[in-house]
Amino acid sequence: MTLTGFWSTVKHTFGVKRLFWRIFIAFWLASILVMIATGFVLVNNFSSDEYNKRFFNDVISQAERIVWRYEHELATPTFQKSKLKNWISNKNNRDGHLIPMIIKDDGGKIIYKHRLNKIKLEDRAEQRVSGPSNRNYQVQIRKPQAPRIYKQVLYRFQSLQFGFIFIASALVSALLSWSIILPLNYLGAFSRRYANQQEVVSLPRKLLARGDELGDLALDIDFMVNKTHAAASAQQQLLHDVSHELRAPLARLQVSAALIEQKTPDSRHVKQIHNDCLRIDQLIQQILDYSKLEQSSPSIENSDINALCQQAIDNMAVNYPTIAVNFSPDDKVEISGYPEALLQAFDNIIGNACKYSDDGGLVEISTSAREHSVIVTVRDHGPGVDEQEMSKLLQPFYRAGNKMHTSGFGLGLSIAVKAIDKHKGELRISSPDDGGLCVEIVLPRELI
Amino acid sequence: MENDKYKILLVDDDATLCALLSEFLQEDGFAVETLNSGDAAVARLLESDEFDTVVLDIMMPGMSGLDVLRTVRAKQQIPILMLTGRGDDIDRIVGLEMGADDYLAKPCNPRELGARIRAIIRRTQQGNTNHIVHAQLHGILLDSGARTALVNNVALPLTGAEFNALSLLMERAGQTISKQDMTQEVLNRPLEAYDRAMDVHVSRIRQKLAAANIHDVIKSVRGVGYQMLTEPQLQQEKG
């Protein structure tokens, strides 16, 4: 599980689909392509000129030799054409290499010929040389053909400079990519933090004052978060005010009832009014608890689960003195979280277990420490819950079997779930085979 | 007879509620005076010591109940009962820490309020009728007659509830006293669910003892209550 978790983090951060890599690769490829294209053009011009020059130099020097030899031979009676080639290939040229050429004298007579027949006229180039006797000769050769350009380009790329340019362009691309991704990531974290903790921190001025599209986005998000927060606060304030306003007349109602009670003791109607006042008061309290969990975000504290369970058990001992509670705490069950919310959750879950137990019933509570989490199990031996009802249990205002119509509002478990959600924990309900209900609360140790 | 009635100052910004409560409490046998603002309450309390108890609402515009409590506590030890918003644990605990004797969640049954007021008054006046008892432990000298606790001849500034709690713990030193029993004996009322009053009083006593350089003499027994350690027990704990 840790490994897959690690892998998903890696995938999330460095996955191919991430914008970072897309921008990085796009820019890097683009810069490499530009480099190749530039290299191609440069190499093309430069090296073909170079090659042509060298080629013609070779041609001219060979042709001059031939002409010189030709004129020299012409002056001697034992002139033999075939020896000319041998002489040249033996004595003279680079590795005995004979350049294919035709040399004509100024009369148009071919004095030398070496493999040029198959070359079309339009592929031939002409040069002029002059012999020792100052006669002009025409030399026909094949147009120079520079070697394949990509070979030259590749050859150039093997050099150190190109290596440096390659790395530098990678760095620049990464930097560019990062500079786009960084503000995006920051904005993402900013909205996530608001969504999770309702904590509004102002965005850095630098980001807001960028002036580019990212700056606009930051401004928009800032605006949205502030607007949402204002709306949420207004709702919270309204709920708080309404409940407070409801409580004032309720308090007066209760005193009035008590005054009637003073005059006519043992009135069952007054008792009814008292009961209903208490009930309305509890409902107001639960709605407030529910909304408080949703809205407020106290600071994270070290919370001792055993102590909180014990506190909830103590609270229940006062309300349900006939229920026996068996608590088996484990060692090392501290987590970082919101102790008040946790206490509320334990109160409600343990309270439910007590409420649905018969007089003299047993509620078993245990905590157990895991490496990354703490598990609290609350088990009662009451009537339990049908399978079909199980999923509805967590809905607000749902009461199992509608049995306890006069006590509770069905908000207790919803409040508990909300508190556990706040800790990114999990609530599991199961019906053990031997009856009753088993509630398991899994709380991660670290709240991220 | 009129003079024998306990005199209560009732402070709440809800005038209608004040009138109703006052009617109820008068019928219940108290003499009641009502005020609707914190400032008026402070002025009235500082000019006169005729009241036996103050019932103080926390949520008031202007000077809140907590402000009144702070100002009055700095000057006198009159028993104060706070009316808190239900479920606002913080308010209750802050109130107790600032020296309130007890609290009651509003809306409340007025009969409960009457009972609480009687409990507070009975407790604070107990000392005057009892004969003088001295108890001594860990250098703390308790004088039940004068209702003072002395450490090295310096009086510990304890409120009524704190004094009662400390004297109960010292009387039964070495035994664990359950929170139920302590609440009943110290505050004269049964322990309620979500009732942190005893815990706050004990924690205040601990702080005050620590300020007088007496440490770790009151032990918490998880899930049960508190225990004042005897000298040998304290040695053992430390050893």
Side-chain angles (χ1 to χ4, degrees):
Chain A
M1 195 194 114
T2 331
L3 199 70
T4 51
F6 173 72
W7 181 237
S8 75
T9 318
V10 169
K11 231 166 132 183
H12 181 78
T13 321
F14 299 107
V16 192
K17 286 187 172 175
R18 306 301 291 177
L19 202 52
F20 175 83
W21 290 114
R22 291 193 199 189
I23 296 175
F24 172 73
I25 286 170
F27 276 101
W28 203 28
L29 277 182
S31 65
I32 287 172
L33 279 176
V34 167
M35 249 162 58
I36 290 174
T38 318
F40 184 85
V41 171
L42 284 178
V43 165
N44 196 5
N45 278 340
F46 171 75
S47 57
S48 55
D49 284 358
E50 184 90 332
Y51 181 84
N52 291 354
K53 222 160 133 192
R54 221 166 44 217
F55 179 74
F56 285 123
N57 279 348
D58 285 354
V59 165
I60 286 166
S61 77
Q62 201 172 89
E64 274 176 345
R65 264 175 242 276
I66 293 168
V67 168
W68 184 84
R69 179 76 183 173
Y70 169 73
E71 288 192 355
H72 182 74
E73 296 275 327
L74 211 61
T76 55
T78 53
F79 170 66
Q80 271 186 323
K81 234 185 192 175
S82 59
K83 280 187 184 167
L84 189 64
K85 277 188 191 176
N86 287 340
W87 175 76
I88 292 169
S89 63
N90 287 340
K91 183 160 184 186
N92 168 7
N93 238 320
R94 290 183 179 167
D95 312 321
H97 170 69
L98 288 172
I99 302 167
M101 65 171 81
I102 294 172
I103 304 177
K104 293 177 182 172
D105 61 15
D106 44 2
K109 184 188 162 205
I110 297 175
I111 61 155
Y112 174 86
K113 185 172 173 188
H114 179 65
R115 289 167 50 190
L116 203 70
N117 301 354
K118 288 173 189 164
I119 310 295
K120 289 179 193 154
L121 274 174
E122 61 261 33
D123 287 338
R124 298 183 187 181
E126 277 188 13
Q127 294 281 312
R128 296 205 157 264
V129 288
S130 46
S133 58
N134 265 339
R135 282 170 68 183
N136 277 328
Y137 295 85
Q138 187 198 22
V139 182
Q140 278 188 6
I141 24 99
R142 185 185 182 156
K143 277 185 181 162
Q145 278 181 319
R148 295 277 176 193
I149 284 164
Y150 71 87
K151 278 186 187 165
Q152 296 195 29
V153 174
L154 273 185
Y155 173 73
R156 303 258 163 174
F157 271 6
Q158 284 166 4
S159 70
L160 200 61
Q161 289 100 314
F162 270 96
F164 277 135
I165 295 173
F166 197 69
I167 292 168
S169 80
L171 280 179
V172 169
S173 308
L175 215 66
L176 184 73
S177 189
W178 191 239
S179 73
I180 295 173
I181 296 309
L182 202 65
L184 284 179
N185 279 347
Y186 188 89
L187 287 175
F190 173 78
S191 10
R192 263 200 310 283
R193 183 161 51 181
Y194 176 69
N196 290 337
Q197 300 169 23
Q198 270 77 48
E199 186 188 347
V200 182
V201 282
S202 55
L203 284 165
R205 287 189 83 84
K206 222 170 82 182
L207 191 55
L208 292 174
R210 280 172 72 104
D212 60 1
E213 285 83 347
L214 285 172
D216 291 349
L217 181 64
L219 277 172
D220 288 342
I221 289 181
D222 193 49
F223 181 72
M224 183 189 75
V225 162
N226 281 318
K227 198 98 180 162
T228 314
H229 188 67
S233 311
Q235 188 207 7
Q236 164 76 3
Q237 190 60 41
L238 180 72
L239 205 59
H240 188 268
D241 290 353
V242 166
S243 74
H244 186 69
E245 288 307 311
L246 280 175
R247 269 182 173 160
L250 192 63
R252 293 196 287 265
L253 184 64
Q254 228 172 3
V255 182
S256 304
L259 278 166
I260 299 172
E261 203 178 20
Q262 271 181 338
K263 274 142 203 159
T264 52
D266 303 324
S267 160
R268 63 188 173 88
H269 299 298
V270 173
K271 280 204 179 68
Q272 185 62 46
I273 294 174
H274 274 310
N275 283 342
D276 282 338
C277 284
L278 198 65
R279 215 172 131 71
I280 294 170
D281 185 43
Q282 282 169 351
L283 177 58
I284 290 172
Q285 188 52 48
Q286 292 203 340
I287 291 174
L288 275 181
D289 285 347
Y290 192 76
S291 77
K292 197 167 147 195
L293 275 177
E294 195 153 83
Q295 302 292 341
S296 74
S297 49
S299 55
I300 293 174
E301 287 170 42
N302 192 35
S303 319
D304 179 356
I305 299 298
N306 282 342
L308 290 169
C309 281
Q310 186 64 60
Q311 212 170 322
I313 293 167
D314 288 350
N315 289 335
M316 290 315 129
V318 177
N319 285 354
Y320 302 95
T322 58
I323 308 292
V325 173
N326 187 352
F327 182 37
S328 10
D330 196 356
D331 282 342
K332 300 205 172 68
V333 289
E334 282 91 21
I335 68 165
S336 61
Y338 311 103
E340 236 181 281
L342 285 173
L343 179 61
Q344 228 163 39
F346 297 155
D347 258 341
N348 292 346
I349 289 167
I350 296 172
N352 272 350
C354 292
K355 189 162 84 182
Y356 288 96
S357 293
D358 303 322
D359 275 2
L362 176 69
V363 172
E364 290 156 276
I365 300 160
S366 64
T367 56
S368 78
R370 299 278 190 274
E371 194 186 346
H372 296 291
S373 60
V374 170
I375 301 175
V376 181
T377 313
V378 179
R379 165 95 161 87
D380 67 51
H381 297 274
V385 178
D386 293 343
E387 284 295 327
Q388 297 111 310
E389 275 192 315
M390 210 72 102
S391 58
K392 297 185 198 159
L393 272 186
L394 305 181
Q395 294 170 4
F397 296 105
Y398 186 83
R399 280 182 299 242
N402 262 349
K403 284 169 201 149
M404 311 293 283
H405 205 86
T406 49
S407 70
F409 304 94
L411 269 177
L413 264 186
S414 306
I415 292 173
V417 167
K418 195 139 269 198
I420 292 163
D421 278 351
K422 230 177 148 86
H423 291 80
K424 304 212 164 52
E426 208 184 322
L427 182 103
R428 300 186 196 129
I429 304 178
S430 59
S431 286
D433 294 333
D434 53 338
L437 196 71
C438 181
V439 180
E440 239 184 358
I441 306 156
V442 185
L443 296 163
R445 282 183 187 271
E446 291 299 325
L447 191 64
I448 306 141
Chain B
M1 279 301 284
E2 192 68 22
N3 290 339
D4 293 347
K5 280 185 178 176
Y6 293 131
K7 200 151 186 214
I8 300 163
L9 180 64
L10 182 60
V11 188
D12 194 319
D13 60 316
D14 185 340
T16 321
L17 181 68
C18 265
L20 287 168
L21 266 181
S22 157
E23 194 183 335
F24 178 90
L25 291 173
Q26 277 167 11
E27 193 71 27
D28 215 19
F30 296 100
V32 185
E33 187 176 323
T34 61
L35 287 171
N36 299 125
S37 81
D39 307 86
V42 170
R44 185 82 180 88
L45 281 169
L46 294 184
E47 81 183 17
S48 142
D49 59 352
E50 63 192 284
F51 298 105
D52 294 295
T53 303
V54 184
V55 178
L56 197 55
D57 184 30
I58 286 191
M59 290 273 281
M60 284 190 291
M63 200 172 184
S64 81
L66 291 176
D67 297 331
V68 177
L69 176 66
R70 189 183 301 116
T71 320
V72 172
R73 260 291 166 269
K75 304 258 163 56
Q76 36 176 292
Q77 291 294 316
I78 183 169
I80 295 178
L81 190 145
M82 306 292 294
L83 286 179
T84 67
R86 186 182 268 280
D88 288 340
D89 270 352
I90 297 296
D91 278 359
R92 298 177 184 186
I93 288 170
V94 168
L96 290 169
E97 280 178 344
M98 285 166 61
D101 291 72
D102 206 354
Y103 59 78
L104 190 59
K106 204 170 83 163
C108 58
N109 189 331
R111 274 162 52 186
E112 173 77 20
L113 178 63
R116 290 275 173 106
I117 295 170
R118 276 204 188 82
I120 285 189
I121 294 174
R122 202 161 48 228
R123 194 178 63 226
T124 46
Q125 300 196 339
Q126 208 168 46
N128 300 341
T129 52
N130 282 6
H131 50 81
I132 294 165
V133 177
H134 292 288
Q136 192 171 5
L137 192 63
H138 306 299
I140 311 165
L141 182 68
L142 216 59
D143 183 339
S144 305
R147 291 184 65 77
T148 52
L150 299 171
V151 177
N152 297 328
N153 284 328
V154 180
L156 282 181
L158 297 178
T159 65
E162 287 159 15
F163 179 84
N164 285 4
L166 181 60
S167 72
L168 178 69
L169 284 165
M170 285 177 69
E171 266 168 38
R172 300 206 211 153
Q175 303 171 20
T176 303
I177 312 172
S178 73
K179 253 169 74 176
Q180 279 96 331
D181 290 352
M182 282 189 82
T183 309
Q184 187 60 56
E185 301 212 10
V186 173
L187 300 178
N188 264 315
R189 62 173 175 83
L191 179 72
E192 293 185 340
Y194 314 105
D195 195 341
R196 303 270 161 268
M198 256 358 279
D199 304 300
V200 178
H201 288 315
V202 170
S203 117
R204 293 254 300 168
I205 295 170
R206 278 185 179 142
Q207 281 170 25
K208 287 172 180 178
L209 287 177
N213 215 13
I214 299 173
H215 301 278
D216 306 323
V217 295
I218 303 173
K219 187 182 157 194
S220 308
V221 184
R222 179 185 274 180
V224 187
Y226 295 96
Q227 180 185 19
M228 171 72 90
L229 297 176
T230 56
E231 298 279 4
Q233 279 172 332
L234 187 61
Q235 294 307 321
Q236 206 176 351
E237 288 275 322
K238 281 185 175 166

